[in-house]
Amino acid sequence: MKYPFAKRVRHLQSSAVRDILKVVNKGNVISFAGGLPDDELFPHEAIQEAFSRVFANGKNPLQYIETEGFGPLREVILERMRKKQMTGFTTNQVLLTTGSQQAIDLFSRVMFNPGDIILTEDPTYLAALQVFESYEATVVPVESDQFGMIPEDLERKMKLYKPKCVYVVPTFSNPSGRVWSYERRQYLIHMAHKHHAIILEDDPYGDIQFNREEMYTPLAALDDGTHVVYTSTFSKTAAPGLRTGWVAGPDQIIRIMSQAKQANDLHSNSLTHQALYQLCCQFDLDGHIEKISEVYKQRMSVMVNRIQQANIPNLNFVQPKGGMFLWIELDPRIDTSFLFPQAVSRGVAYVPGEHFYAGKPNKSTMRLNFTHSTPEKIQKGIDILMELLQETKHPELMK
């Protein structure tokens, strides 16, 4: 039967990462493809105890709650945001979501009409591109380097396109792992005010910081509360299975997003909200984050050192200062999508970089995740990958 789907489904696409994971999870493959934290580092006992305390406190934790989410957890989130200098928000300006991915979707639902312009980094988070395209927005990439959007190109495209929104992941970005300079952050805030654009700041990785002495000020801390919508999540710091993120922003935007959420799912998992509140109150979450950050830093170093030892011609990267990803740029003759089946057949997987571009893709790039594999597997997987790249001088491995 030919089903009469709505026209908008023409803009729905499958996630390249999800499709890759379906392939690599079927075999004995060392995967650097998914953006996965390490299962072994989840605070299993603390989470179990948190759920037990929820049921032991005498109240019914299984009932419906308000759309915005469990109030005490929103207060905890506000306090965590204040530690990062985001001091201008109230509880009413925080909406709990089913991961930060839902925050991106709800924001897009209430903000974008077909054809509206969104500026993004180049490259940028592919699942955000999925959402924007599903709402028929037009995504325009801004030239970017290791310090963020290049000011001259940002200013030119602000004037030319008059975007409704600028979407950025300024701290340990996905896929590049880079961190914006303070000056580039300030400049984007200036441009947003000047051209009346809303900034959607996506910050899922900001807590996974390898040098605790450095300070990366969120855009939301540099704004006056009018032009930045900030979203983050517990998925990378506690556990992704809890599926709890949040979004904070101007009153009007959060109120309309809450109404859209009512139509979507009424509210996110209130039982998990209450358990997360208990976890934040009774467990040293900051200490846990420091612990996993140190482990991930060591794994990143193993990956970087192994790649450097291979001495592949024309291979370049910026060493991450946090987050979960290493972004590799290769000889422009190499097509990493074309090379991908060869890598999988040898027992290693990555994400070809072309999927992260809104405009013309750089096909000689790849994203590597260093958080989910042990150092031993990282060494083995990188050795396989580097050996394959050494062989790319052969015509059959170049497209």
Side-chain angles (χ1 to χ4, degrees), residues 42-57:
F42 296 156
H44 294 90
E45 291 185 10
I47 291 174
Q48 286 180 326
E49 292 171 1
F51 275 97
S52 296
R53 283 195 296 273
V54 170
F55 284 101
N57 71 5

Side-chain angles (χ1 to χ4, degrees), residues 227-268:
H227 284 69
V228 177
V229 174
Y230 174 90
T231 182
S232 189
T233 179
F234 288 100
S235 291
K236 308 300 187 290
T237 54
L242 297 173
R243 301 311 303 132
T244 301
W246 71 92
V247 58
D251 294 271
Q252 287 179 291
I253 294 177
I254 297 303
R255 177 168 52 82
I256 298 300
M257 288 178 66
S258 297
Q259 293 174 3
K261 185 170 173 59
Q262 289 174 9
N264 180 269
D265 63 1
L266 298 183
H267 62 78
S268 294

Side-chain angles (χ1 to χ4, degrees), residues 370-381:
F370 50 76
T371 59
H372 190 248
S373 299
T374 63
E376 294 74 23
K377 283 191 174 182
I378 290 173
Q379 289 185 3
K380 182 179 178 181

Side-chain angles (χ1 to χ4, degrees), residues 155-220:
E155 182 176 17
R156 182 176 70 85
K157 287 174 178 171
M158 280 283 201
K159 291 178 180 177
L160 179 62
Y161 293 104
K162 297 178 176 55
K164 179 174 283 188
C165 172
V166 183
Y167 169 77
V168 291
V169 189
T171 309
F172 316 133
S173 68
N174 181 357
S176 70
R178 298 167 183 170
V179 56
W180 284 40
S181 69
Y182 184 79
E183 292 74 21
R184 297 276 179 92
R185 294 170 191 248
Q186 285 184 310
Y187 189 73
L188 176 56
I189 295 291
H190 170 68
M191 284 287 103
H193 281 253
K194 182 177 180 180
H195 295 278
H196 309 290
I198 299 296
I199 298 169
L200 178 56
E201 179 180 13
D202 194 2
D203 186 28
Y205 313 103
D207 283 335
I208 305 175
Q209 184 174 330
F210 298 156
N211 185 349
R212 292 285 157 184
E213 302 305 314
E214 295 188 8
M215 173 64 72
Y216 309 118
T217 307
L219 296 170

